[in-house]
Each structure stands twice: as C-alpha cells, then as structure tokens.
Amino acid sequence: MEGRWGVGLIGVMLFLGVVVGCIYAQDNADTITAVYIVTLKQAPTSHYYGELRVKHGHHIKRNGSQRSRFDTARNASRTGGHHGSYIDRVHDSLLRKALRGERYLKLYSYRYLINGFAVLVTPQQADKLSRRREVSNVVLDFSVRTATTHTPQFLGLPQGAWAQEGGFETAGEGIVIGFIDTGIDPTHPSFSDNTPEKPYPVPEHFSGICEVTRDFPSGSCNRKLIGARHFAASAITRGIFNATQDYASPFDADGHGTHTAATAAGNHGIAVVVAGHHFGNASGMSPRSHIAVYKALYKSFGGFAADVVAAIDQAAQDGVDIISLSITPNRRPPGIATFFNPIDMALLSAVKAGIFVVQAAGNTGPSPKSISSFSPWIFTVGAAAHDRIYTNSIVLGNNITIQGVGLAPGTDTDAMYTLVSAMHALNDTTAANDMYVSECQDASNFKQDVIQGNLLICSYSIRFVLGLSTIKQALETAKNLSAAGVVFYMDPYVIGFQLNPIPMRIPGIIIPSPDDSKVLLRYYNSSLVRDETTKNIVKFGGVASISGGIKANFSRAAPKIMYYSARGPDPEDSSLDDADILKPNIVAPGNYIWSAWSCRGTDSVEFEGESFAMMSGTSMAAPHVAGLAALIKQKFPFFTPSAIGSALSTTASLNDRNGGPIMAQRAYANPDLNQSPATPFDMGSGFVNATAALDPGLIFDSSYDDYMSFLCGINGSSPVVLNYTGQSCGVSTMNATDLNLPSITISKLNQSAIVQRTVTNIGSNETYSVGWSAPYGASVKVTPTHFSIGSGEKQVLSVVFNATMNSTVASFGRIGLFGTQGHIVNIPVSVIVKVSYNNTGG
C-alpha cells in the first residue's frame, strides 16, 4: 500500500521492504517468464467516447443494454457488448500469430483506457511482441504499495460546503467515487443504504457490477456500494497470492480500503466505538456519494501495475466520476520522464474521459524530492495534522508528570497505585532467561499476587515494531493478572519513532520518549526497598496514577505538515532533474484519522475485531480530497478534472488556526522541535478549504490536448508518446511552464522568462486587482494589474520573471487575484535555480 502508516509505530512499512520480483519459472531454469504490459497502436475505446462524455457534462451508456449492477457472478466479462469481445479477439489473434505454438498466459485485456493486454511470457517472447507492427509498447510489470469523526468540523463542512449542497443528507448525491485499494467490508454501517426517508437511486451513468463470491455474497452491494471487483491475475501468476489471507474477492482483508472509502464517502452519523469507548460519530466528506471498489492491493504482498491498470481501466469504463488512489510505485519510474509509466498514462486517458484523479503523495517525507506522484493531470495530496489530538500522562509519586499516548481510561482520580516492573514479578528464575519477558506477552510468566491491583511496567521494544509482540497481548496479560493498569516504557534502542494513539480497554499509557522512560525507571528503582542482606525486594515504593487519553484535546497550531508527507520538487526523471510542475498539489487531514475498519482487517493488530480504526498517512489525506471533489462535481457537473483541481488549489488556506503560517515538520525524530514555515514544495497550494472551493470565482483549465503537447515537449519523447497513446507528436508542443496550472514552478530561471496563465470566470461579473510577492533572487511583474471579467469570459495574465542573483536554493513567492465580490485566487510561485545577467562564474 501507499506507504500507509499503521496505528502503531509510524514508519514501519506494511511490507517491510519486501518487493516481489517479476520472474516465474516454467519448465526449466533457462525459461524465465515475467508479466509484461503490452499496448497496441490502435486507439482505445475511451478515445472515441471521451469527447462525448465531456461534451455532455456526464457519461454516456456504452452498451446497448443496461446490465444488472448487483449480484453479478464473479466470472462476468469485464466489459459488456460486442466491442469488448472484438478487442479480446484482436489481442488473442495477435498473441497466436506472434507466438506460434509457444506457451504464454494472457492475464487481462485492457479495452477502455489502454488498448492492450497483460501477458506472462519470456523475455524472448516479449521481444517478439515488441517487433510486431501492431504493438507500440512493451513494459515489464512493477510492484506498487499503499501509502473520521472530527475532520468534517475542522474543514467547516456542516455550516459551509454541506449547507451549500442542502445539508449532509444530499452532499455528493449522484457522484460515484471509484477506489483502487484493498477492497471493502460491505457489512459496515458506513456503507448501508438504509435511508427510507428519501430516494437514493444508483446514478444512470454508472454501469459497473458486483462480483459474488463466498467472501462477498449476494446482497453485499446496495444503492450506496454500487460496484465491487477484484484484480489479482498478475499476483496469482507469481505464485504469491494467498487466498486464505487475501481473499479472491472484493472483500477487504486488510482494512485500508474500508478506511479510505468511508473517509471519502461513508455515511453520516455512524457511532465510533473502539475498545468499548465512544469517540463520537463518523462521516465521510461526501456522505451521499456512491462507492465503487476495485480491489488491486493485498495485505500480504501489496500490488502490481498490471492489476492496478486493469482496475483503473474498469473503473473508467464503469463510469466513475472520481478515482481515488492511496497507492504509489515502489520505485521512481525509469525512462526519459517519470510521467511515462503504465499507471500514469492510464490515468491520463481517464482524465480525457472526464474523471478527476486523486493520488496520495507518499509517506517518504520529509526529504526533498521524495514525492511519489508525478504527473500534472493527477491531483496529488499530502498529509497535514488537524486540530484534534489525544494526549495521556502519568503522574509519579514525586509529582513528576510524564506525557505519553494511549486511547485508554485513567485510574481512579483520587488514588495512587503501586508500580511493579514485570521483571520483578517473575514466577521463577528460569523465566528471566527469556530476554523478551519484560514485554508482558505471557501471563504465565508472572506472579499474580505481586501484580494484582498494581500498575504493571512493561517494555516496548523493536519487536512491537515488527509485530512480534503486541500491545493487545500485553493488555491481555495485565487483565489476566488483575493489574490496575499498564505502563509501557520505550526501549532505548527504539529511537525516533512516532507513536499513534493505541486503544486500550484498561488504564494504560505508552511513554514514547526514551529520555522520559529513563525518568520513570529512575524513580521506580530509587523507590524500591530491598533487604540489605539478600538484596531481594521487600517493598515496591513507587506509586503513580494514569490520567487517561480517551478525551480529545484541540490545538490552535493546526494544520501542520506531517514529517512523513512526501515533498517536492517534482522529479522529472530518474536522474532527479526537477520538473516545472508543483507537487504536491494540496494537503488535507491525514493524521489521527478515525474511519471505518474491516471486521477481518489485519493491517493493525491493535484494531483487529474493531469496526473503526485510527490511521495516519497520505493514504488518509487523499480520500478527504476525493470526497470534497465530489461536492464540487455535484455543484458544477460541467467542470473538467483540471477545473476541479483548480477550484481546490486556488482557494486553499495558507494559515493555521492561530493566523500564522502553516508549519512543516522537518525531521523524523522529534518532529515538533524541528519545524519551519511550509513552502509550496511541502504543501502545494495550501490546506484544502472545502467551502471556498465551491465558490472559486476564477478557474485555470487544462485539456487532454494540453497534456499531450506538454509530453511531446519533453526532449526525445515522441516515440514514447506514440508508444503509450498511439498519437504522433505534431509541431505544436509546450513546456511544463506553459501548462495552464494554478501554480507556477520554474526549475531553472536562466536570466528571464515569460509565463502566461488564462483564467475563466465561472461566477458573475467581477473586477480583480493583482498583487504578488517575488521569490528571493528574482523579480516578478504581472500584467494586467487590474481587470474586469464577465461571467464565462477569459483573461490572460502575463508574468515576467528576471533573475536578480545566482542561486541554486529554491525560493518562493505568490500571486494573488483579489475580486470585488470577495473572491481571492492564490497562485504559488516556486523558482529553484536562478542564473542572473551578471553571471560571470560560469
């Protein structure tokens, strides 16, 4: 998964760095096969239908007959109608001709966004396919990974965006969000369609189906969850698919997909009860939107591009309005530009078909160029903290208070409890030979009469990070021994990790700081009373009370950019040359996010068996924006994908709740002590402002043809563009700076540059004044400085940059358009390398 952070120690990847190779042995060791993605020169179906879809502001029915949306057998054809069958026959015929009599296995036919297929062949067979005149491109498959109760209030939805849409009862109605993720738990109340008070029809433009399997039985889909499929052919050919763990169905065995779907479009007002504690009521950002699930990621191995592309292709053909991807590639795509990879190019065709695409930025921050989402047609979302925090503390008998974490009840407020270390309550000396006994994983190791009614002290080691020991098991130990509560101290070898709050049914706390842990242990050891002769402990003198961490607190220092959120600048190629494109595009809530959890979800052992989980990561931020985009699409059904992205970007907030600049954490260790004002490479245009995005005033629009001209403008790209799209590059090309984006990014300002942007007024007639602040080391002049613009009219802005010094350090500015009716349009400006007229140093 997209480097998603679990609720335990942040920083531990789901797959612990395991990347499965692409080879698979056939008959002998000399014959090695791999999965390849093959695209043909003939245009895909979407290139014929895309213009119609955009022109009419919505989708068209692609088949002559409407298929049943629910309870369709799992072996149903991926596309209906004769055209899909024809394309299948073309692919099969090509394979037979190219590989006469040889063994191969076709996994998918891609029909809608890409005309091609995924096939298991040897390198020699792949070479034969690449030489066929019908074939434009052959790419080796690669692996991918995956990167709320309060956030609607923090984003101002109840009184703002929801109110504008008629309340939460109608927010996002008629919009379908497609999720490429780990599947969904259809039994969760967040996905119920039990709304008898008003009609809730399935949108006419959606033609997807629901698979029916033992794990996903008939009736799993409804008017809320209207489509569900799974894609695992590439994984199965590698022999790594575990049907027991991963489920050959849309059912979510992980939890991540259920969490993201509910964050974007879960029902409103669902009670969040975890470990017996009530944490409020949950709602998705667009609670009336419909959900379609395309499972292509799995707990045990992640996913592969061939399966992800198949999922994207199907989602687009089914007629989703928005695609949400909380996944990123495991490596930066090779080749002349990062944009040229099967997933991004499939998403380009999705954008051509009018689909807004949201992707998580990745959890590889805070270093520069750590972004894992590259292309300008993809809306990339970073993670920020919101204002709700959960704190816990322990008060020692010497009146020292130590801060910690844990979603746990406190001890009785008027009482202090004796502290007993697990190491001092062992059943016999043989247990002391177990070097991990202090982690409290087995109650049989301890004397109940020593621990009963006291606070048990346990260690938190790297084994918890690796999942070899768990908080849940330690709590079970404490419960079996009748302890009053548990105190976890941090092993000194676990350095720099950040703990998310963990649910506990009994009083407990985890002290995440090794230094604070030493304070606890010093107090405990100094309070022990020992027999002077035997040195045996005769009295446990240390006492403490736990305050508890169930009640939320609220901070004004929010939002702030989380240290793990991937940063720009956007790398254009594998040699890390910078692209003239701003990434991330925006940031949204991604830290400490409550959302639905699969009843069989195993991603976080601490939430196993729970119906909600608290997760952190850019995986959580992306579905926030997908849901908010649905609100924009509902209000402006004619908006193109770039118009939706523009509305979100130009209205984003630049300040925290204190009125100061949004801060960005700069270090993995002690992140709150290492932060500074966020730049566009940290937060893109800023923190999402849902209400303002519904009334942006002006928008920046870009078309599929613009993106094609940009790709054709990359040096040496013509054959690659032809391979991926089947279209030849003409004489008309453009640089990335010429794309009509709601930002300006210049990777190298060589003396001077002129950049133009075109705005379109989607509001009423208005007059705007223009202001700006120049990046350090450059001067900026924008013309015109004032303009009046009628409804539906366009205005060209010309921005002249001049380098005033030589510098390789990125600097930032901003252009603001201020309307007489209150609209404010923000355009972030980033300039990296600056070469002035006075450059004499070469």
Side-chain angles (χ1 to χ4, degrees):
M1 295 182 192
E2 173 276 315
R4 144 279 314 276
W5 305 113
V7 177
L9 282 174
I10 291 183
V12 183
M13 290 299 186
L14 172 66
F15 310 111
L16 297 176
V18 177
V19 178
V20 181
C22 297
I23 61 174
Y24 169 80
Q26 269 187 328
D27 293 331
N28 56 71
D30 297 326
T31 308
I32 302 298
T33 60
V35 177
Y36 291 84
I37 299 172
V38 180
T39 52
L40 307 187
K41 293 177 181 177
Q42 184 179 357
T45 308
S46 67
H47 287 220
Y48 301 112
Y49 289 117
E51 292 84 354
L52 285 173
R53 176 177 177 175
V54 173
K55 185 183 298 181
H56 295 300
H58 237 308
H59 307 259
I60 64 168
K61 290 187 179 179
R62 299 175 187 84
N63 305 321
S65 59
Q66 183 68 42
R67 293 198 294 162
S68 172
R69 295 186 175 94
F70 307 141
D71 303 341
T72 302
R74 59 171 297 185
N75 293 323
S77 169
R78 282 188 55 245
T79 57
H82 301 294
H83 189 68
S85 300
Y86 168 74
I87 292 178
D88 277 2
R89 291 196 298 272
V90 170
H91 296 169
D92 293 339
S93 174
L94 170 61
L95 283 165
R96 284 195 300 270
K97 290 177 183 176
L99 308 176
R100 294 181 183 274
E102 298 179 17
R103 294 181 59 185
Y104 62 87
L105 176 63
K106 188 184 77 168
L107 309 182
Y108 297 108
S109 275
Y110 305 127
R111 310 180 183 95
Y112 190 66
L113 297 178
I114 293 175
N115 181 9
F117 49 85
V119 63
L120 183 71
V121 291
T122 65
Q124 294 79 10
Q125 290 173 315
D127 183 61
K128 289 181 182 178
L129 287 169
S130 69
R131 293 200 299 267
R132 295 286 301 191
R133 58 182 175 80
E134 306 99 314
V135 172
S136 65
N137 205 29
V138 178
V139 178
L140 186 66
D141 194 13
F142 57 89
S143 59
V144 297
R145 60 189 175 198
T146 57
T148 110
T149 56
H150 176 66
T151 46
Q153 285 73 29
F154 184 65
L155 294 169
L157 298 182
Q159 293 78 38
W162 285 353
Q164 291 188 29
E165 301 286 1
F168 70 81
E169 299 90 346
T170 56
E173 195 164 70
I175 306 301
V176 183
I177 306 176
F179 296 88
I180 316 294
D181 215 301
T182 65
I184 197 167
D185 179 355
T187 67
H188 200 282
S190 290
F191 313 122
S192 166
D193 67 350
N194 186 23
T195 54
E197 67 278 2
K198 62 177 307 207
Y200 193 23
V202 174
E204 282 297 316
H205 66 267
F206 185 76
S207 60
I209 64 168
C210 282
E211 294 179 3
V212 173
T213 71
R214 185 180 63 180
D215 307 312
F216 210 83
S218 176
S220 294
C221 284
N222 53 35
R223 293 170 298 166
K224 177 73 172 179
L225 174 59
I226 60 175
R229 298 172 180 260
H230 85 286
F231 302 84
S234 183
I236 291 170
T237 63
R238 301 160 197 272
I240 62 171
F241 186 87
N242 185 329
T244 303
Q245 286 186 22
D246 297 313
Y247 299 113
S249 78
F251 190 87
D252 182 10
D254 180 279
H256 187 271
T258 299
H259 197 280
T260 56
T263 299
N267 288 328
H268 181 271
I270 307 302
V272 179
V273 178
V274 174
H277 312 305
H278 185 255
F279 291 97
N281 295 323
S283 175
M285 301 301 103
S286 180
R288 195 67 172 174
S289 288
H290 302 270
I291 293 170
V293 169
Y294 303 86
K295 178 179 172 181
L297 297 158
Y298 298 84
K299 166 66 179 175
S300 62
F301 58 86
F304 295 94
D307 296 327
V308 172
V309 170
I312 294 169
D313 188 66
Q314 188 62 54
Q317 185 189 345
D318 288 349
V320 302
D321 300 288
I322 295 164
I323 289 178
S324 178
L325 297 113
S326 288
I327 62 170
T328 55
N330 273 325
R331 58 180 173 84
R332 187 170 287 114
I336 64 169
T338 52
F339 323 115
F340 293 114
N341 67 81
I343 292 177
D344 283 35
M345 296 308 292
L347 293 173
L348 175 58
S349 287
V351 168
K352 181 179 184 181
I355 301 169
F356 182 66
V357 177
V358 184
Q359 186 176 25
N363 292 339
T364 48
S367 60
K369 300 188 187 183
S370 53
I371 199 81
S372 297
S373 174
F374 315 106
S375 298
W377 51 87
I378 298 171
F379 200 75
T380 305
V381 186
H386 56 96
D387 62 343
R388 184 193 59 208
I389 55 177
Y390 291 92
T391 58
N392 199 344
S393 62
I394 181 171
V395 181
L396 306 180
N398 59 4
N399 289 323
I400 291 177
T401 299
I402 298 174
Q403 299 299 316
V405 298
L407 298 169
T411 52
D412 292 341
T413 55
D414 298 329
M416 299 291 278
Y417 291 81
T418 300
L419 292 163
V420 177
S421 169
M423 295 301 293
H424 295 152
L426 299 178
N427 254 333
D428 51 53
T429 55
T430 57
N433 296 326
D434 180 358
M435 62 186 298
Y436 306 119
V437 70
S438 64
E439 296 171 4
C440 306
Q441 298 296 293
D442 185 354
S444 66
N445 287 329
F446 307 103
K447 297 175 181 177
Q448 181 168 358
D449 59 333
V450 176
I451 294 172
Q452 185 171 352
N454 298 324
L455 293 177
L456 176 62
I457 299 177
C458 307
S459 66
Y460 192 111
S461 76
I462 193 68
R463 289 168 54 83
F464 285 83
V465 180
L466 301 175
L468 302 176
S469 296
T470 69
I471 296 290
K472 203 168 193 177
Q473 187 56 46
L475 293 172
E476 189 65 24
T477 295
K479 179 182 175 183
N480 290 339
L481 297 171
S482 302
V486 189
V487 180
F488 295 90
Y489 67 89
M490 190 63 62
D491 187 297
Y493 295 104
V494 182
I495 300 172
F497 287 107
Q498 303 300 310
L499 275 166
N500 273 355
I502 294 171
M504 305 181 191
R505 292 182 180 270
I506 64 174
I509 185 171
I510 308 170
I511 301 172
S513 162
D515 290 338
D516 288 341
S517 296
K518 291 176 184 176
V519 172
L520 166 72
L521 295 177
R522 275 197 300 267
Y523 166 72
Y524 170 78
N525 288 321
S526 68
S527 302
L528 293 173
V529 179
R530 295 181 181 269
D531 182 277
E532 292 186 4
T533 303
T534 65
K535 303 302 181 183
N536 291 333
I537 297 171
V538 296
K539 182 181 178 183
F540 296 97
V543 295
S545 65
I546 298 172
S547 65
I550 294 174
K551 185 178 179 181
N553 298 304
F554 297 90
S555 169
R556 299 286 296 175
K560 64 182 172 186
I561 313 305
M562 297 308 298
Y563 65 91
Y564 52 77
S565 186
R567 313 296 168 93
D570 187 14
E572 183 171 32
D573 51 42
S574 55
S575 63
L576 297 183
D577 290 333
D578 298 317
D580 295 324
I581 295 165
L582 180 62
K583 292 291 177 180
N585 294 90
I586 208 168
V587 292
N591 208 54
Y592 294 174
I593 304 300
W594 282 116
S595 192
W597 197 244
S598 173
C599 64
R600 282 179 258 172
T602 58
D603 175 54
S604 174
V605 66
E606 315 304 345
F607 287 98
E608 280 188 18
E610 302 286 358
S611 58
F612 281 84
M614 178 184 285
M615 304 290 283
S616 294
T618 57
S619 280
M620 284 65 248
H624 275 86
V625 172
L628 298 176
L631 302 181
I632 298 174
K633 184 72 173 178
Q634 180 187 18
K635 183 174 181 180
F636 301 104
F638 59 89
F639 264 20
T640 64
S642 63
I644 295 174
S646 173
L648 289 163
S649 298
T650 61
T651 58
S653 302
L654 305 175
N655 299 102
D656 66 15
R657 293 303 165 95
N658 285 320
I662 293 174
M663 303 297 282
Q665 296 177 336
R666 302 289 178 196
Y668 185 76
N670 300 314
D672 280 334
L673 301 179
N674 296 277
Q675 55 185 25
S676 60
T679 74
F681 290 163
D682 302 314
M683 66 175 181
S685 293
F687 184 80
V688 66
N689 184 335
T691 303
L694 291 176
D695 184 23
L698 305 175
I699 59 166
F700 297 76
D701 212 354
S702 298
S703 67
Y704 172 82
D705 290 340
D706 293 332
Y707 298 131
M708 285 294 293
S709 295
F710 151 69
L711 292 174
C712 288
I714 298 172
N715 188 34
S717 67
S718 292
V720 187
V721 172
L722 179 63
N723 286 348
Y724 270 111
T725 68
Q727 295 178 237
S728 299
C729 289
V731 291
S732 175
T733 62
M734 68 168 67
N735 298 320
T737 51
D738 298 325
L739 278 171
N740 198 41
L741 304 176
S743 59
I744 298 174
T745 305
I746 301 176
S747 59
K748 184 174 183 179
L749 177 59
N750 192 354
Q751 299 184 355
S752 65
I754 300 176
V755 176
Q756 290 189 332
R757 291 290 184 267
T758 301
V759 294
T760 303
N761 184 9
I762 63 155
S764 57
N765 299 351
E766 194 165 3
T767 299
Y768 285 84
S769 59
V770 183
W772 61 86
S773 61
Y776 181 70
S779 66
V780 173
K781 183 178 181 181
V782 185
T783 54
T785 57
H786 294 81
F787 61 91
S788 295
I789 184 169
S791 179
E793 291 183 352
K794 298 180 184 294
Q795 172 68 50
V796 176
L797 301 174
S798 183
V799 187
V800 179
F801 292 87
N802 283 291
T804 58
M805 63 182 294
N806 299 320
S807 174
T808 58
V809 178
S811 53
F812 308 95
R814 194 164 296 276
I815 299 170
L817 312 179
F818 305 93
T820 52
Q821 296 186 25
H823 293 114
I824 299 176
V825 178
N826 277 303
I827 308 165
V829 175
S830 311
V831 181
I832 304 177
V833 176
K834 294 160 281 283
V835 181
S836 75
Y837 286 105
N838 299 320
N839 181 14
T840 58

